[in-house]
Amino acid sequence: MAELKTQSAIVNDLEEFLRAFKDRSGNYKYFDRINNMMAANSTSLLVDYIDFDTFKPDLAKKITDDPDEMLEAFNKAVFSVLYEIHPDYAEEISNNIKVRIGNYTVQKGLREINAEAINKLIGVSGMVVRTSEVKPLAKKIGYRCLSCGEINEAQLKSLVLKKPLKCKQCSEKELEMDPDTSIFIDFQMVRLQELPEDLPAGHLPHYLEVTVIGDLVDQCRPGDRILLTGIVRIEQEQLSQH
C-alpha cells in the first residue's frame, strides 16, 4: 500500500526536484530559472512534465489526479527556493507565485471531456474563437467585523470565494469588505472550439469555456490554435425561484 504523504513532505520532494534536476548539459534547470525570476520580474515558473515524470514519477501521477493540492505545494516549494536566493522578492510576490505545467502528456479531445475529468489536470487542443475583456478577480478578501474589528478572510478555492457567515472572534454577522487586506488578480474568459480536423463528419463543433488568470491573460487572440493545460471545473447554474 502506497504511503500517504503529508503536504509538507510533498513540498520537500518538490523542492528537491527544483534544486536537483539537471538538463542534458548538466545545468540546474529549475534552480537557474527560479534564480532568474527577479531579474525577469516574473511570478510564474514553467515546469516540463516530462522532466518531472522522469525525476518523480509518483508525484507526476498525483499532479494529474490531485492538481489543486499539487500545484499549491509546487507554489510553496518555489517560494522556499526563491526565498533563500532573493528573500525580498520572494516576499513581494508570495501571493502570486504560480507553477505552470508544460509539455503535458495527458491529452484529451474537447468531446472527450466528461464527468471523470472533473477536478483533474488535462491537456486539450483547440482554436480560440472569443476572448473577454480582462477583469479583476478576488483571490482573497478580508471582511472587517463591525462589532470588534477582527479581520475574517475568505480564500479563493477552485474559483469560488465564500464570505464568512460570522466573525470568528465574536460571532457578529455584520461584516464589510476591507480593501487593505484583500488581494485581486486579473482574469479573462476564453472560448475554445474543437479543431476542424478533430471534428467528426456531420457534427457541430464542441466548445469549452476557459478561465485564465494572472500572467496568462491577454496571451491569445481569436483565431489562435493553442494547446491548453488546465483543471476541469463544473459550474452549476444558479436557479432562482419566484
Side-chain angles (χ1 to χ4, degrees):
M1 182 176 174
E3 182 184 352
L4 293 175
K5 292 192 173 186
T6 63
Q7 176 83 346
S8 60
I10 291 172
V11 172
N12 290 339
D13 280 352
L14 296 176
E15 270 194 61
E16 181 192 351
F17 164 71
L18 294 171
R19 294 177 191 276
F21 184 85
K22 294 182 182 180
D23 62 18
R24 290 180 179 177
S25 302
N27 299 314
Y28 288 96
K29 182 174 180 177
Y30 296 105
F31 186 84
D32 290 347
R33 286 184 181 180
I34 293 171
N35 189 26
N36 290 330
M37 283 175 70
M38 185 173 80
N41 197 30
S42 172
T43 59
S44 63
L45 177 76
L46 181 64
V47 171
D48 189 307
Y49 181 79
I50 304 296
D51 293 344
F52 189 44
D53 190 34
T54 302
F55 198 88
K56 294 280 186 184
D58 55 329
L59 289 182
K61 184 182 186 311
K62 188 172 173 61
I63 207 167
T64 298
D65 296 331
D66 301 303
D68 287 308
E69 178 189 353
M70 285 294 295
L71 290 172
E72 184 181 343
F74 243 135
N75 298 342
K76 289 178 179 177
V78 170
F79 172 80
S80 181
V81 176
L82 182 61
Y83 187 81
E84 286 186 13
I85 313 168
H86 303 295
D88 290 346
Y89 188 63
E91 290 283 7
E92 181 187 330
I93 68 167
S94 61
N95 289 309
N96 296 316
I97 291 173
K98 280 284 181 192
V99 167
R100 315 281 188 204
I101 304 299
N103 212 9
Y104 189 53
T105 56
V106 184
Q107 304 288 325
K108 284 184 177 290
L110 270 182
R111 60 184 62 234
E112 295 176 307
I113 297 174
N114 53 27
E116 291 179 359
I118 294 170
N119 293 328
K120 299 287 195 296
L121 189 70
I122 66 160
V124 63
S125 298
M127 181 179 290
V128 177
V129 291
R130 191 171 70 207
T131 58
S132 74
E133 60 181 313
V134 177
K135 298 178 181 178
L137 173 72
K139 185 176 182 182
K140 183 180 81 172
I141 293 187
Y143 291 95
R144 184 179 297 279
C145 175
L146 297 185
S147 177
C148 72
E150 179 74 18
I151 296 295
N152 300 263
E153 288 186 356
Q155 299 276 355
L156 184 68
K157 294 288 184 185
S158 305
L159 296 178
V160 175
L161 195 76
K162 291 187 178 178
K163 179 181 177 180
L165 296 176
K166 60 184 180 180
C167 176
K168 62 187 177 186
Q169 190 75 20
C170 70
S171 298
E172 170 66 48
K173 293 183 179 179
E174 288 293 319
L175 307 173
E176 68 175 18
M177 194 185 91
D178 181 61
D180 293 338
T181 55
S182 301
I183 299 171
F184 294 87
I185 54 176
D186 290 337
F187 90 103
Q188 182 181 38
M189 298 301 297
V190 174
R191 174 172 272 205
L192 203 61
Q193 180 181 292
E194 200 169 12
L195 292 171
E197 58 266 30
D198 295 338
L199 186 62
H203 286 68
L204 291 172
H206 279 213
Y207 294 90
L208 189 66
E209 296 293 340
V210 180
T211 304
V212 294
I213 61 175
D215 56 359
L216 289 182
V217 302
D218 272 346
Q219 295 297 307
C220 61
R221 296 283 183 273
D224 289 349
R225 287 172 171 243
I226 64 171
L227 175 59
L228 178 80
T229 302
I231 302 171
V232 179
R233 307 288 191 202
I234 187 74
E235 204 170 85
Q236 300 280 9
E237 294 288 340
Q238 295 294 324
L239 298 178
S240 57
Q241 292 183 332
H242 298 280

